[in-house]
Amino acid sequence: AQSVTQLGSHVSVSEGALVLLRCNYSSSVPPYLFWYVQYPNQGLQLLLKYTSAATLVKGINGFEAEFKKSETSFHLTKPSAHMSDAAEYFCAVGGGTASKLTFGTGTRLQVTL
Amino acid sequence: DADVTQTPRNRITKTGKRIMLECSQTKGHDRMYWYRQDPGLGLRLIYYSFDVKDINKGEISDGYSVSRQAQAKFSLSLESAIPNQTALYFCATSESSGSSGRWQYFGPGTRLTVT
């Protein structure tokens, strides 16, 4: 069984500030972990993925995430927020032989001037 | 052209009507999925198909059915729509093997309103 918990349904940061979106997972098998971003009125776009290689994963648009097995976490960070980062972000976990994913409930990121 | 397309993009229907949402993909992927998105609930899996002859229920399949007409097409039907099926519906695809088979490509979504 797998599950994902995203802490904070809404996060607000100032432009230029650090972005930190939290994700904790539970998985009975070695996990694959993903962050997706959803811009208004659009589908989900893959931001980055962890597939058992390097624990620090770099994605698009300056985002990165670090897999910490001891903490069962995969938090998403960006050093400096931009207005265009305003979107909803979903963490997802997969694993085992199937490619099914379990998604978190999402975190809406607001970026203010 | 988009790799994963969904039709219609928006639909308003009445309670009790049958409705079909369609998904087509040009990625050549074997696996296809249907999700619904509700505010505060994230995405929940309705049905998934690993190939044309392999269709499986997801966590919330009641009230829905699917058809995999070809490798590239996967349709979702609501036999008798009810208001709590109002949601944003997404189709997704993935490869069938390797680490790249672990992530999914999403269509743009269909916004369905049942009145």
Side-chain angles (χ1 to χ4, degrees):
Chain A
Q2 298 168 327
S3 66
V4 172
T5 301
Q6 291 185 242
L7 297 176
S9 58
H10 289 84
V11 170
S12 182
V13 301
S14 300
E15 190 173 35
L18 171 71
V19 175
L20 171 60
L21 304 183
R22 298 179 186 274
C23 173
N24 288 89
Y25 71 92
S26 172
S27 178
S28 57
V29 297
Y32 294 88
L33 294 157
F34 309 89
W35 276 99
Y36 282 86
V37 59
Q38 183 181 27
Y39 298 104
N41 300 312
Q42 295 187 25
L44 276 72
Q45 177 182 358
L46 183 68
L47 200 55
L48 50 79
K49 60 188 182 292
Y50 167 77
T51 56
S52 75
T55 57
L56 181 61
V57 180
K58 295 187 183 299
I60 61 173
N61 302 335
F63 284 93
E64 63 181 36
E66 185 172 9
F67 172 68
K68 292 186 176 181
K69 183 177 180 179
S70 61
E71 299 178 7
T72 60
S73 69
F74 191 57
H75 301 330
L76 181 70
T77 60
K78 182 174 180 178
S80 177
H82 192 272
M83 295 296 289
S84 61
D85 295 327
E88 189 155 21
Y89 293 79
F90 292 93
C91 182
V93 62
T97 57
S99 55
K100 291 193 299 176
L101 298 180
T102 298
F103 285 83
T105 54
T107 297
R108 186 167 297 279
L109 176 65
Q110 179 183 20
V111 182
T112 59
L113 290 172
Chain B
D1 290 337
D3 296 317
V4 183
T5 57
Q6 294 184 233
T7 55
R9 293 295 310 280
N10 288 281
R11 180 72 183 266
I12 300 174
T13 192
K14 294 184 182 298
T15 297
K17 294 292 187 181
R18 184 178 188 276
I19 184 169
M20 178 181 290
L21 309 182
E22 298 185 344
C23 176
S24 295
Q25 52 113 348
T26 59
K27 299 191 74 66
H29 290 169
D30 291 325
R31 300 182 174 187
M32 298 186 74
Y33 312 80
W34 276 105
Y35 293 90
R36 64 176 282 175
Q37 182 183 13
D38 299 277
L41 296 179
L43 278 77
R44 292 179 292 167
L45 183 63
I46 306 172
Y47 271 95
Y48 61 102
S49 170
F50 284 173
D51 64 40
V52 174
K53 297 182 179 180
D54 181 11
I55 293 178
N56 305 279
K57 293 182 178 181
E59 60 180 297
I60 54 164
S61 59
D62 287 349
Y64 301 94
S65 62
V66 291
S67 173
R68 184 82 184 266
Q69 301 95 325
Q71 186 205 36
K73 295 184 182 296
F74 193 35
S75 300
L76 176 71
S77 294
L78 286 66
E79 298 301 326
S80 179
I82 56 177
N84 75 3
Q85 291 177 313
T86 293
L88 187 55
Y89 289 84
F90 286 105
C91 175
T93 72
S94 71
E95 296 183 21
S96 58
S97 63
S99 63
S100 62
R102 305 299 179 181
W103 71 86
Q104 298 174 12
Y105 297 84
F106 282 79
T110 293
R111 186 168 297 280
L112 176 66
T113 303
V114 183
T115 62

